[in-house]
C-alpha cells in the first residue's frame, strides 16, 4: 500500500468482527461474557497492530495462543469446581468471571494470530473470511429445521406471517458468502490466486453440509461446558435398570426424550413442549411438575421402574389414540365446591416439539385424550390431559397417614425397600431430631424432617465427579461430600424416607417454575427443565411431590428466563386447530426443496471426491513430469527443461522469482543456498537469447539441475522439504 | 564440452582483453567508482559520450586522464591522448576547435588544432559556456569533425568526450536543452563514494600518482574492440521488442511530457552490447536493459514537474516488457528470427 496506514483503516474490520463475535456470544454466554468477547476483538486488533512489525514465527504464535486458551479454560474449570472460591465469591460472580475470561481469551487467542497471519500469507485471509462466514452461518443455522431459537426477532417476524424461515436464512447466508468472496478478492489483488476463492467456497459448502445438525453447537457445548457428556453417561447409569431388556428399553427412552435433568448449563436450551392450561392454576409448591416416568422398584442395587405392570399404573400409558382413563387409587377428596378444597380437576393440552416415547402430564394425570396436531411442521404431536391437581399445602396434610389401607404387604414392601446400609438409618434418625418432640411420631412430619435435613445439608452441584461403576452413586453422594443434582437428591431422599417406613418413589419428568409461566396460560417446557424428584404416598391423595431444594447451590440450574413473547406465540400456535388458518397450508414443495437441495449438495460433494482426487493426481503427475522432463526431452529443449526443473525444486522450498526480477538477479539471490543456479541460469539465458545453443551435453544440464535441488535442500529442515514435495501446486507460480 | 579438442579462442577475446586492461588501469587510479568506470567503458566501446553530473573534486579529471593516458597512439598522428577544457562564459568556439593562423614564411593560413583533437576530452562544466560554444562542441561530438573557415577537419575515430556539469550552483549557466543532451549516450549522476573507498583513496594517494600500471592499450585495439562487439555480441530480436515496448510505455506514461526518440533506442543497442561484453557474455540479457535504461533514457525524457524520481518512472515502464521477455525464455519458443550460423564455439568470454 502506498498510503500510510492509519489506525482508522482498521475500524471496518473491528466493526465486522465485533458484530460477528457479539452475535455469536449472545447465543452462548452471559452479559459479562458478551462484553468481554467484544473487548477481546478490540484487544486482538490492538495486539495484532503492535506485533505487526515483530519477526515472530507464526507457528510459535499459534502455539502460544493455544497454550493461553488451554490455561484459561483450565483456570476457569478450577475456579468453578473449587467450592471454597465459589463459597467466597458466590456462584453468580464466579460464573460471570469465568465466562468473561474464557470469552476474552478465546476471542483474543483466535483472532490476533489470525490477523497477524493474514498480513503475511494471503491464505489466512481466506481463513479469516471463512471464520466470519462460519460464525454467521452457525448463528443462522440455529434456525435450521425450523427450530425456534435466537435471534428470536427474525423468526418471530417470519413465523407470525407463517413463512418458513429456512429459505430466508439460506438466502441471507448465500448473499453473505458471495459478499465475503467479493470482499476478499478485492482486498489484495496482486497476489491472489484462484486457489483462495476455491478454498473459501469449499469451506462454505462444508459449513452448509455439516451445520444443519447443530454439530457446531454440540461441539462447543462439549468443549466448553461443564462436561455434558460425562454427566449424560452417569445419568444413564443412574436411571438405568441393572439388568436385561428393561435396561435396554430405558436407555432407548433416555435417548429418545433426552430427559437429561441437568443439562441446562452446558447445552443450549431448546423448547421441548408447550402446555396450555385450560384454567388458571397455581401449584401450592410453586412448581409445575410433569411426570413421565417413575422409579419405585429397588432391585438390590438401585431404583428401577416397576416391571410387573401392577404398580405405578399412573405412568407408562401410551400416547392416546382414544381417551384413556388413568386408574387413580386415591383421590377421594376432590371437592369441586368445597370449603377446604384439597385438589381439583384441571384440563391441559400438551403439544410436543421433540419426539418423546411416552406422554407426560401435569400431576396427577387422570385422563388422556387425543388432540389434533395444530401444526405438523412445528409440533410432533398433541394430546389433552386431565389432571387432578393439588391445592393444599403440604403442611396441612400433617394429620394424614401415609400409604393406603388397600395396599397389600407386598406393595408396602415394594415402596419401602431400601439398601441394607445402617448409615441411612443413622441419618434418618438424626433428621428426626429436627422435629419438636410431639411431632416425631407423625409419619408425614418425619418425611418433612428428612426434606429439611437434606435442604440444609446438601449442595446442588452439577459438576460431580464420576464415581466407580461398582460404587453406589447415592451412597457416595449421601455419605460423601453431598454435592449432587436432582437425581442424587431424589434417590437419597427416597432411601431415607423408606428407611423410616415412608412409602416413596422417584419420578422423572419436567419441572417448570410457576413464575416462568408469567401471566399467560401457556407453559413452555425446555430441555433444561428435565427433572427428577421424590414423591411420598399420602393416604387419600396419592403420590405427592416432596422435592428437595438445597440451600447451597454451586452450579445453579438454568436460570435463563423464558422469552414471554415466544412462550405466548407458541401457545397460540399450539391452540390453533389444524386448517383454521388460511395461510396454514404450506407450499407443498417447500420442505422437499430444501431436502432436495441438501441431497444435491451431498451428491455433488460425493461426486467431487473423485474429481478432486483426479485433479490431485493430475497435478502430481504434472509436477513429476516437469521434474523428469530433462531426462527425456529433445536436446533442443534441455536448457528450458532443466532450468525449469531447478526452478521447481526451488519453488518446493518456497523460493520464487518475484515479478520484475531478472533471472540473473534471482540466481544471485538463491546462490547463497544453491550456487549451481548461477551456471544453470547462464546456460539457460545463453540458449534463450544468445546466438546459439551452448554446446553442453545432457549430463551437464542434469548435473546442474540436480545440484541446485541438492544444494537448496541441504540447508532446509526435512519437514519443510517434505511439505514442499507434497505441495501439488508448488510449480504453479514458477515463471 | 569435449575435452579432447582445445576450444578455439572466442572472437570477443581481444575486446575483453582491452576492457580488462582499461578497467584495471582505471580502477587503480580511481577508488570506489567501479560502477562509473564500467559505464564509461561501456560508453567508450559503444562509441558514445558521457555526461557526468557531479560536484568538484570527485575524481572526474583523474578518471578522464587515466583513460586518456591508457590509450597509446601508434598511428603517428599527433593526437593528444587527453585534453581538458574548462568551459567558461567567455569561451569562444575557436578556443576548442582551433584556428587558422597566417604563416608569414609560406604566406598561407595554417590550421592549428584546438584541444578537441584528442582521444579523450574532458569538457568541464559544459553548462557554463555560451550556447555558441556548446553547439560547436556538440557538432563535433555527433559528427566527429570540426569545420573551421569552411574547411572540415575530421576528428580521431576514437574521439570520446566526458562532459561534466555541477548539479547545484546553477547561477549564470546555460543549461543544455534536451536536444543537446541527446548527444550524450549516458548521463551519470555520481554520488559520494563509500567510506572504505574514500579511506583507500587517502591511503593510496602516493602509489597512484607515481606508479601507473605497465601495459597500455593502443588506439587501434579500442577501434577493433568496438567492431568486434558490434559484430559478435548477439542481440536477440526479442530484446528489440522489449526496447520498443518500453519506449511506447514511456511515451504513454502520464507523467512523461516528452518520450523517447527512436534515435535513443538505436543508440541503446551498442550500449547494451558493450555492457554484455563487459559482463562476460556474448549476448544481451534483460538485466542489461534493466541496468542501462535509466542512464540512457533518463536525460532524454521530460518528466512532469513533481512526478518524482525519473529512475522509478523508467523502471515502471520497463517492468512489464522485461517480465514478458523473461517469461519468454521459459516458454521455450523458437527465436523470432533464425540466429546466424554459429560463428564461434560456446563458452563464456573470460
Amino acid at each position: 500500500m502506498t498510503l500510510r496506514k492509519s489506525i482508522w483503516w482498521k475500524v471496518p474490520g473491528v466493526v465486522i468482527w465485533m458484530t460477528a463475535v457479539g452475535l455469536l456470544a449472545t447465543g452462548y454466554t452471559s452479559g459479562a461474557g458478551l462484553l468481554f468477547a467484544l473487548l477481546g476483538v478490540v484487544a486482538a486488533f490492538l495486539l495484532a497492530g503492535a506485533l505487526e512489525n515483530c519477526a515472530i514465527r507464526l507457528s510459535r504464535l499459534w502455539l502460544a495462543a493455544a497454550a493461553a486458551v488451554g490455561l484459561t479454560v483450565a483456570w476457569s474449570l478450577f475456579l468453578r469446581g473449587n467450592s471454597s472460591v465459589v463459597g467466597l465469591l458466590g456462584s453468580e460472580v464466579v460464573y460471570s468471571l469465568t465466562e468473561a475470561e474464557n470469552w476474552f481469551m478465546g476471542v483474543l487467542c483466535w483472532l490476533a494470530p489470525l490477523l497477524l497471519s493474514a498480513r503475511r500469507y494471503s491464505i489466512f485471509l481466506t481463513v479469516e473470511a471463512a471464520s466470519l462466514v462460519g460464525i454467521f452461518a452457525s448463528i443462522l443455522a440455529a434456525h435450521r429445521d425450523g427450530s425456534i431459537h435466537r435471534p428470536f426477532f427474525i423468526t418471530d417476524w417470519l413465523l407470525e406471517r407463517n413463512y418458513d424461515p429456512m429459505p430466508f436464512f439460506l438466502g441471507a447466508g448465500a448473499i453473505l458468502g458471495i459478499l465475503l468472496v467479493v470482499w476478499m478478492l478485492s482486498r489484495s489483488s496482486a497476489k491472489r490466486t484462484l486457489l483462495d476463492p476455491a478454498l473459501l467456497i469449499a469451506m462454505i459448502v462444508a459449513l452448509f453440509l455439516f451445520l444443519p445438525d447443530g454439530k457446531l453447537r454440540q461441539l462447543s457445548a462439549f468443549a466448553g461446558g461443564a462436561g455434558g457428556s460425562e454427566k449424560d453417561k452417569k445419568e444413564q447409569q443412574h436411571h438405568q435398570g441393572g439388568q436385561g431388556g428393561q435396561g435396554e428399553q430405558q436407555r432407548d427412552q433416555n435417548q429418545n426424550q433426552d430427559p437429561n435433568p441437568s443439562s441446562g448449563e452446558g447445552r443450549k436450551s431448546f423448547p421441548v413442549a408447550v402446555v396450555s392450561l385450560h384454567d388458571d392454576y397455581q401449584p401450592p409448591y410453586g412448581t409445575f411438575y410433569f411426570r413421565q416416568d417413575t422409579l419405585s422398584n429397588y432391585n438390590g442395587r438401585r431404583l428401577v421402574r416397576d416391571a410387573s405392570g401392577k404398580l405405578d399404573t399412573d405412568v407408562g400409558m401410551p400416547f392416546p389414540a382414544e381417551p384413556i382413563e388413568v386408574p387413580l387409587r386415591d383421590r377421594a377428596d376432590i371437592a369441586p365446591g368445597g370449603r377446604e378444597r384439597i385438589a381439583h380437576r384441571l384440563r391441559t393440552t400438551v403439544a410436543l416439539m421433540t419426539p418423546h416415547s411416552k406422554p407426560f402430564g401435569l400431576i396427577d394425570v387422570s385422563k388422556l385424550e387425543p388432540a389434533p396436531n395444530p401444526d405438523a411442521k412445528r409440533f410432533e404431536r398433541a394430546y389433552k390431559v386431565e389432571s387432578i391437581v393439588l391445592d393444599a399445602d403440604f403442611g396441612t396434610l400433617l394429620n394424614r397417614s401415609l400409604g393406603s389401607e388397600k395396599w397389600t404387604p407386598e406393595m408396602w414392601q415394594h415402596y419401602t425397600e431400601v439398601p441394607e446400609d445402617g448409615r441411612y438409618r443413622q441419618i434418618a434418625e438424626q433428621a428426626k431430631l429436627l422435629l419438636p418432640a410431639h411431632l416425631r411420631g407423625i409419619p408425614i412430619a418425619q418425611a418433612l424432617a428428612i426434606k429439611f435435613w437434606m435442604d440444609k445439608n446438601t449442595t446442588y452441584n452439577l459438576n460431580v465427579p464420576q464415581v466407580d461403576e461398582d460404587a453406589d452413586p447415592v451412597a457416595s453422594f449421601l455419605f460423601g461430600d453431598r454435592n449432587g443434582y436432582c437425581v442424587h437428591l431424589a434417590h437419597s431422599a427416597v432411601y431415607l424416607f423408606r428407611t423410616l417406613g415412608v412409602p416413596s418413589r422417584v419420578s422423572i419428568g419436567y419441572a417448570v417454575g410457576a413464575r416462568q409461566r408469567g401471566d399467560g396460560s401457556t407453559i413452555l417446557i425446555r430441555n433444561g427443565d428435565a427433572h427428577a424428584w421424590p414423591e411420598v404416598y399420602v393416604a387419600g391423595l396419592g403420590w405427592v411431590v416432596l422435592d428437595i431444594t438445597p440451600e447451597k447451590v454451586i452450579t445453579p440450574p438454568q436460570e435463563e428466563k423464558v422469552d414471554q413473547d415466544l412462550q405466548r406465540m407458541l401457545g397460540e400456535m399450539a391452540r390453533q386447530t389444524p386448517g383454521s388458518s388460511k395461510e396454514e397450508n404450506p407450499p407443498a414443495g417447500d420442505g422437499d426443496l430444501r431436502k432436495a437441495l441438501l441431497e444435491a449438495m451431498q451428491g455433488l460433494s460425493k461426486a467431487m471426491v473423485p474429481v478432486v482426487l483426479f485433479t490431485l493426481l493430475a497435478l502430481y503427475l504434472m509436477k513429476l513430469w516437469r521434474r523428469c522432463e530433462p531426462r527425456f526431452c529433445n536436446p533442443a529443449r534441455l536448457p528450458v527443461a532443466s532450468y525449469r526443473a531447478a526452478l521447481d525444486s526451488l519453488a518446493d522450498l518456497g523460493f520464487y522469482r518475484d515479478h520484475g526480477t531478472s533471472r540473473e538477479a534471482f540466481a544471485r539471490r538463491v546462490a547463497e543456498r544453491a550456487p549451481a543456479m548461477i551456471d544453470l541460469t547462464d546456460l539457460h539465458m545463453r540458449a534463450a537469447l544468445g546466438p546459439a545453443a551452448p554446446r553442453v551435453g545432457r549430463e551437464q544440464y542434469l548435473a546442474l539441475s540436480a545440484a541446485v535441488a541438492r544444494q537448496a535442500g541441504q540447508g532446509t529442515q526435512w519437514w519443510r522439504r517434505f511439505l514442499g514435495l507434497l505441495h501439488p501446486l508448488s510449480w504453479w507460480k514458477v515463471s | 564440452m569435449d575435452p579432447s579438442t582445445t576450444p578455439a579462442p572466442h572472437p570477443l577475446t581481444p575486446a575483453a582483453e582491452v576492457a580488462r586492461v582499461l578497467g584495471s588501469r582505471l580502477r587503480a587510479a580511481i577508488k570506489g567508482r567501479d560502477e562509473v568506470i564500467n559505464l564509461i567503458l561501456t560508453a567508450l566501446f559503444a562509441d558514445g559520450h558521457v555526461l557526468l553530473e557531479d560536484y568538484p573534486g570527485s575524481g572526474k579529471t583523474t578518471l578522464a586522464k587515466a583513460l586518456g593516458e591508457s590509450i597509446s597512439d601508434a598511428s603517428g598522428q599527433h593526437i593528444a591522448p587527453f585534453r581538458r577544457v574548462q568551459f567558461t562564459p567567455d569561451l569562444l568556439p575557436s578556443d576548442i576547435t582551433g584556428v587558422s593562423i597566417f604563416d608569414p614564411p609560406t604566406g598561407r593560413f595554417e590550421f592549428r588544432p584546438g584541444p578537441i583533437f584528442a582521444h579523450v576530452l574532458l569538457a568541464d562544466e559544459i553548462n557554463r559556456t555560451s550556447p555558441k560554444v556548446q553547439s560547436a562542441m556538440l557538432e563535433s561530438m555527433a559528427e566527429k569533425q570540426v569545420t573551421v573557415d569552411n574547411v572540415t577537419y575530421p576528428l580521431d575515430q576514437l574521439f570520446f568526450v566526458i562532459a561534466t556539469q555541477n548539479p547545484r550552483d546553477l547561477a549564470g549557466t546555460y543549461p543544455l536543452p534536451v536536444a543537446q543532451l541527446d548527444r550524450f549516450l549516458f548521463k551519470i549522476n555520481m554520488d559520494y563514494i563509500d567510506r572504505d573507498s574514500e579511506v583507500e583513496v587517502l591511503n593510496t594517494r602516493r602509489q597512484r600518482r607515481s606508479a601507473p600500471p605497465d601495459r597500455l592499450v593502443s588506439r587501434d585495439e579500442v577501434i577493433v574492440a568496438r567492431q568486434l562487439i558490434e559484430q559478435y555480441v548477439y542481440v536477440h530480436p526479442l530484446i528489440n521488442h522489449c526496447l520498443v515496448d518500453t519506449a511506447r510505455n514511456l511515451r504513454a506514461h502520464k507523467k512523461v511530457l516528452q518520450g523517447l526518440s527512436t534515435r535513443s533506442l538505436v543508440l541503446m543497442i551498442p550500449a547494451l552490447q558493450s555492457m554484455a561484453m563487459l559482463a562476460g557474455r556474448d549476448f544481451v540479457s534483460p538485466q542489461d536493459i534493466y541496468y542501462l535504461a535509466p542512464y540512457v533514457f533518463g536525460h532524454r525524457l521530460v518528466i512532469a514537474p513533481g512526478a518524482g524520481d525519473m529512475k522509478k518512472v523508467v523502471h515502471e515502464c520497463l517492468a512489464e516488457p522485461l517480465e514478458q521477455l523473461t517469461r519468454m525464455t521459459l516458454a521455450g519458443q523458437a527465436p523470432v528470427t533464425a540466429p546466424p550460423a554459429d560463428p564461434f564455439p560456446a563458452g563464456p568470454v573470460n
Side-chain angles (χ1 to χ4, degrees):
Chain A
M1 247 196 212
T2 49
L3 278 169
R4 199 175 159 71
K5 278 185 192 164
S6 95
I7 193 143
W8 298 111
W9 283 103
K10 292 176 183 161
V11 169
V14 176
V15 170
I16 290 176
W17 270 103
M18 279 175 91
T19 315
V21 169
L23 280 175
L24 183 71
T26 43
Y28 289 102
T29 183
S30 61
L34 173 63
L35 179 69
F36 274 84
L38 296 180
L39 287 178
V41 173
V42 179
F45 271 86
L46 290 179
L47 187 67
L51 293 180
E52 195 174 357
N53 296 321
C54 296
I56 305 178
R57 286 214 170 171
L58 286 184
S59 53
R60 296 201 180 145
L61 196 68
W62 281 104
L63 276 179
V69 167
L71 279 179
T72 311
V73 170
W75 171 245
S76 49
L77 283 180
F78 166 74
L79 275 189
R80 283 184 191 185
N82 191 323
S83 55
S84 61
V85 175
V86 173
L88 196 67
L89 297 175
S91 56
E92 291 243 341
V93 176
V94 170
Y95 180 75
S96 300
L97 198 71
T98 48
E99 280 293 288
E101 67 176 31
N102 279 349
W103 277 87
F104 181 78
M105 288 305 286
V107 170
L108 179 66
C109 292
W110 166 247
L111 195 50
L114 185 61
L115 291 171
L116 274 172
S117 309
R119 301 246 161 90
R120 297 197 200 167
Y121 298 106
S122 59
I123 197 83
F124 281 98
L125 279 177
T126 315
V127 179
E128 189 189 338
S131 50
L132 272 177
V133 174
I135 287 174
F136 284 119
S138 73
I139 296 163
L140 293 176
H143 291 279
R144 276 293 172 91
D145 302 321
S147 82
I148 294 175
H149 185 52
R150 284 200 167 84
F152 295 135
F153 49 90
I154 309 177
T155 15
D156 287 0
W157 186 83
L158 290 167
L159 286 172
E160 274 164 19
R161 285 155 185 78
N162 222 328
Y163 294 121
D164 186 1
M166 187 66 50
F168 288 86
F169 294 138
L170 288 181
I175 290 169
L176 189 75
I178 292 166
L179 282 179
L180 270 163
V181 172
V182 170
W183 166 73
M184 208 193 69
L185 283 176
S186 65
R187 211 157 110 171
S188 77
S189 52
K191 289 185 177 174
R192 199 124 294 288
T193 64
L194 275 178
L195 190 64
D196 295 340
L199 180 73
L200 184 64
I201 288 167
M203 282 175 162
I204 292 172
V205 168
L207 270 175
F208 183 86
L209 289 179
F210 292 119
L211 270 180
D213 306 335
K215 282 189 178 137
L216 186 76
R217 283 178 289 146
Q218 279 175 21
L219 201 70
S220 75
F222 178 74
S229 67
E230 201 173 293
K231 213 160 48 208
D232 285 354
K233 206 164 135 197
K234 181 160 47 189
E235 247 154 50
Q236 276 196 359
Q237 179 195 346
H238 212 125
H239 282 189
Q240 186 176 309
Q243 69 277 89
Q246 193 179 336
E248 284 297 320
Q249 198 183 345
Q250 221 155 1
R251 186 189 323 215
D252 286 349
Q253 178 199 342
N254 282 351
Q255 279 164 358
N256 283 344
Q257 75 180 56
D258 185 19
N260 195 353
S262 47
S263 64
E265 183 160 333
R267 193 166 298 181
K268 198 59 220 162
S269 87
F270 53 86
V272 171
V274 185
V275 180
S276 315
L277 302 178
H278 293 205
D279 202 354
D280 193 26
Y281 170 62
Q282 282 295 338
Y285 20 70
T287 308
F288 291 100
Y289 286 94
F290 298 91
R291 188 189 292 132
Q292 185 177 31
D293 205 349
T294 193
L295 313 173
S296 62
N297 182 17
Y298 183 74
N299 68 355
R301 285 185 68 206
R302 50 168 59 95
L303 286 175
V304 295
R305 184 153 23 121
D306 173 54
S308 66
K310 289 175 188 155
L311 302 167
D312 296 334
T313 49
D314 54 339
V315 294
M317 297 79 64
F319 283 109
E322 52 199 28
I324 302 175
E325 290 283 346
V326 179
L328 285 174
R329 285 164 202 274
D330 274 319
R331 270 295 146 97
D333 292 345
I334 301 161
R339 194 163 51 89
E340 277 183 61
R341 197 168 70 158
I342 292 180
H344 70 281
R345 285 180 198 279
L346 178 68
R347 291 175 66 82
T348 51
T349 306
V350 180
L352 297 178
M353 301 182 74
T354 56
H356 284 65
S357 58
K358 280 191 279 186
F360 57 84
L362 192 61
I363 54 171
D364 293 323
V365 178
S366 64
K367 195 175 177 186
L368 288 172
E369 286 173 53
N373 189 344
D375 183 349
K377 272 197 293 175
R378 182 82 42 230
F379 299 106
E380 285 289 326
R381 59 162 76 235
Y383 53 91
K384 285 184 182 157
V385 181
E386 191 184 83
S387 307
I388 296 174
V389 295
L390 203 63
D391 293 311
D393 191 355
F394 207 86
T396 63
L397 305 177
L398 275 181
N399 54 353
R400 289 184 181 261
S401 60
L402 294 175
S404 172
E405 299 111 24
K406 296 175 204 161
W407 280 4
T408 59
E410 288 78 36
M411 286 173 75
W412 272 100
Q413 164 74 17
H414 178 86
Y415 285 120
T416 53
E417 195 171 11
V418 278
E420 288 167 6
D421 190 332
R423 291 178 291 180
Y424 289 110
R425 165 126 341 243
Q426 219 175 336
I427 289 179
E429 292 300 332
Q430 194 185 335
K432 261 201 320 197
L433 293 179
L434 292 172
L435 291 173
H438 68 280
L439 288 179
R440 282 187 196 152
I442 302 175
I444 288 191
Q446 289 175 355
L448 275 174
I450 283 166
K451 169 187 159 52
F452 293 143
W453 184 88
M454 285 195 67
D455 284 354
K456 206 181 259 321
N457 290 303
T458 58
T459 308
Y460 189 90
N461 187 356
L462 284 172
N463 300 325
V464 196
Q466 174 131 29
V467 292
D468 285 346
E469 287 280 319
D470 300 331
D472 180 4
V474 180
S476 70
F477 161 74
L478 199 56
F479 312 127
D481 61 356
R482 293 180 190 140
N483 269 318
Y485 45 91
C486 57
V487 180
H488 300 107
L489 295 167
H491 280 75
S492 305
V494 166
Y495 287 176
L496 291 173
F497 290 155
R498 290 184 172 192
T499 308
L500 293 180
V502 176
S504 51
R505 65 181 191 181
V506 172
S507 281
I508 299 167
Y510 298 100
V512 181
R515 266 188 310 166
Q516 280 192 15
R517 180 173 66 121
D519 47 4
S521 60
T522 304
I523 302 168
L524 178 65
I525 301 178
R526 294 168 298 173
N527 60 329
D529 296 326
H531 192 46
W533 62 88
E535 292 176 342
V536 299
Y537 199 95
V538 180
L541 281 177
W543 294 106
V544 175
V545 177
L546 192 55
D547 205 355
I548 311 295
T549 48
E551 287 167 11
K552 284 170 282 183
V553 175
I554 285 185
T555 40
Q558 185 181 39
E559 286 186 357
E560 192 190 343
K561 278 180 116 179
V562 173
D563 188 293
Q564 292 293 332
D565 293 337
L566 175 69
Q567 180 163 290
R568 195 175 310 127
M569 192 187 68
L570 281 172
E572 276 161 24
M573 291 168 75
R575 261 178 229 115
Q576 271 178 353
T577 48
S580 69
S581 121
K582 279 175 195 166
E583 311 152 85
E584 185 58 37
N585 294 335
D590 205 28
D592 301 339
L593 179 73
R594 199 188 91 73
K595 206 172 274 179
L597 198 68
L598 202 66
E599 271 166 17
M601 296 281 294
Q602 273 160 351
L604 196 69
S605 65
K606 268 179 205 156
M608 283 299 282
V609 172
V611 172
V612 167
L613 284 181
F614 183 78
T615 314
L616 261 185
L617 183 70
L619 290 176
Y620 278 125
L621 278 179
M622 187 69 187
K623 188 169 169 166
L624 186 69
W625 164 245
R626 284 168 65 111
R627 208 60 65 85
C628 297
E629 196 189 353
R631 293 180 186 283
F632 311 109
C633 68
N634 187 324
R637 220 186 121 65
L638 260 177
V640 171
S642 59
Y643 181 71
R644 200 174 65 179
L647 280 184
D648 279 6
S649 55
L650 286 172
D652 269 358
L653 304 175
F655 294 103
Y656 289 98
R657 184 181 67 86
D658 294 330
H659 188 91
T661 312
S662 70
R663 299 212 178 284
E664 290 90 344
F666 174 64
R668 279 196 297 276
R669 180 160 81 85
V670 298
E672 207 178 308
R673 294 286 280 280
M677 192 63 187
I678 296 217
D679 290 342
L680 188 60
T681 307
D682 186 64
L683 281 180
H684 169 72
M685 294 302 282
R686 182 178 302 281
L689 294 175
R695 291 187 179 159
V696 176
R698 189 186 292 270
E699 312 78 49
Q700 189 163 354
Y701 278 114
L702 288 178
L704 276 175
S705 180
V708 169
R710 196 182 55 246
Q711 290 163 348
Q714 266 164 5
T716 316
Q717 275 150 331
W718 66 269
W719 56 268
R720 183 70 187 83
R721 282 195 309 238
F722 183 65
L723 281 183
L725 212 61
L726 275 189
H727 196 327
L729 271 175
S730 61
W731 51 272
W732 191 261
K733 285 195 283 180
V734 165
S735 60
Chain B
M1 263 184 276
D2 192 355
S4 62
T5 61
T6 47
H10 195 283
L12 277 174
T13 310
E17 173 64 11
V18 171
R20 190 192 61 76
V21 171
L22 286 179
S24 72
R25 285 185 68 101
L26 290 183
R27 274 192 288 274
I30 312 286
K31 298 292 174 190
R33 289 284 186 211
D34 290 0
E35 206 176 335
V36 177
I37 290 170
N38 227 12
L39 282 168
I40 283 177
L41 288 182
T42 305
L44 176 72
F45 288 125
D47 201 4
H49 307 285
V50 175
L51 176 63
L52 293 177
E53 201 158 74
D54 203 0
Y55 54 93
S58 59
K60 305 177 292 278
T61 313
T62 321
L63 187 63
K65 198 174 165 194
L67 182 61
E69 286 173 350
S70 300
I71 302 170
S72 66
D73 191 1
S75 65
Q77 295 173 328
H78 295 289
I79 291 183
F82 169 72
R83 283 283 181 268
R84 174 177 181 274
V85 182
Q86 183 71 42
F87 281 51
T88 57
D90 56 354
L91 206 69
L92 292 173
S94 56
D95 291 340
I96 56 166
T97 58
V99 285
S100 297
I101 294 172
F102 182 70
D103 188 19
T106 59
R108 294 173 63 185
F109 280 93
E110 193 184 327
F111 180 67
R112 290 286 178 90
I116 205 164
F117 289 85
H119 289 146
V120 177
L121 177 70
L122 175 64
D124 231 350
E125 297 202 85
I126 193 170
N127 57 340
R128 291 217 172 269
T129 193
S130 62
K132 194 162 60 174
V133 182
Q134 283 175 0
S135 68
M137 179 74 204
L138 295 166
E139 187 229 71
S140 66
M141 284 163 61
E143 315 295 336
K144 290 211 173 160
Q145 62 186 26
V146 289
T147 306
V148 179
D149 294 342
N150 214 17
V151 180
T152 299
Y153 303 93
L155 294 175
D156 187 63
Q157 221 181 329
L158 186 66
F159 181 60
F160 180 61
V161 175
I162 301 175
T164 74
Q165 60 182 14
N166 192 335
R168 293 159 203 104
D169 198 14
L170 288 174
T173 60
Y174 301 89
L176 299 174
V178 174
Q180 292 186 356
L181 282 173
D182 205 16
R183 262 68 176 184
F184 289 101
L185 180 60
F186 296 152
K187 180 179 162 194
I188 305 169
N189 293 328
M190 288 164 72
D191 211 340
Y192 292 99
I193 57 179
D194 61 278
R195 186 176 179 280
D196 291 348
S197 305
E198 206 157 13
V199 170
E200 209 188 339
V201 169
L202 301 187
N203 288 344
T204 59
R205 178 174 48 100
R206 189 182 288 272
Q207 298 97 296
R208 278 186 293 119
R209 204 185 306 155
S210 58
D214 41 11
R215 173 153 152 32
L216 292 184
V217 169
S218 75
R219 167 196 168 279
D220 294 340
E221 276 180 306
V222 177
I223 305 292
V224 168
R226 280 180 181 173
Q227 290 162 354
L228 285 177
I229 289 169
E230 194 185 355
Q231 190 180 348
Y232 288 118
V233 176
Y234 179 67
V235 183
H236 196 280
L238 287 175
I239 299 281
N240 294 342
H241 284 262
C242 174
L243 286 178
V244 172
D245 288 343
T246 307
R248 293 176 71 86
N249 279 356
L250 275 168
R251 286 168 200 151
H253 198 284
K254 61 177 184 291
K255 286 177 184 169
V256 176
L257 299 183
Q258 187 185 324
L260 289 178
S261 61
T262 308
R263 175 169 58 192
S264 59
L265 297 182
V266 174
L267 287 177
M268 181 78 172
I269 300 287
L272 288 174
Q273 286 177 306
S274 306
M275 191 78 211
M277 189 280 289
L278 286 173
R281 263 182 280 112
D282 61 354
F283 63 95
V284 174
S285 145
Q287 68 169 355
D288 300 330
I289 303 180
Y290 185 84
Y291 183 75
L292 283 184
Y295 298 112
V296 179
F297 297 155
H299 57 290
R300 293 177 162 89
L301 295 172
V302 181
I303 293 197
D309 193 4
M310 175 275 307
K311 200 167 172 175
K312 211 175 127 192
V313 173
V314 170
H315 278 160
E316 236 170 69
C317 296
L318 194 56
E320 253 337 289
L322 261 190
E323 179 67 21
Q324 218 177 341
L325 177 60
T326 306
R327 280 170 187 248
M328 218 59 115
T329 69
L330 206 55
Q333 68 165 44
V336 174
T337 56
D342 187 7
F344 44 81
V349 182
N350 43 357

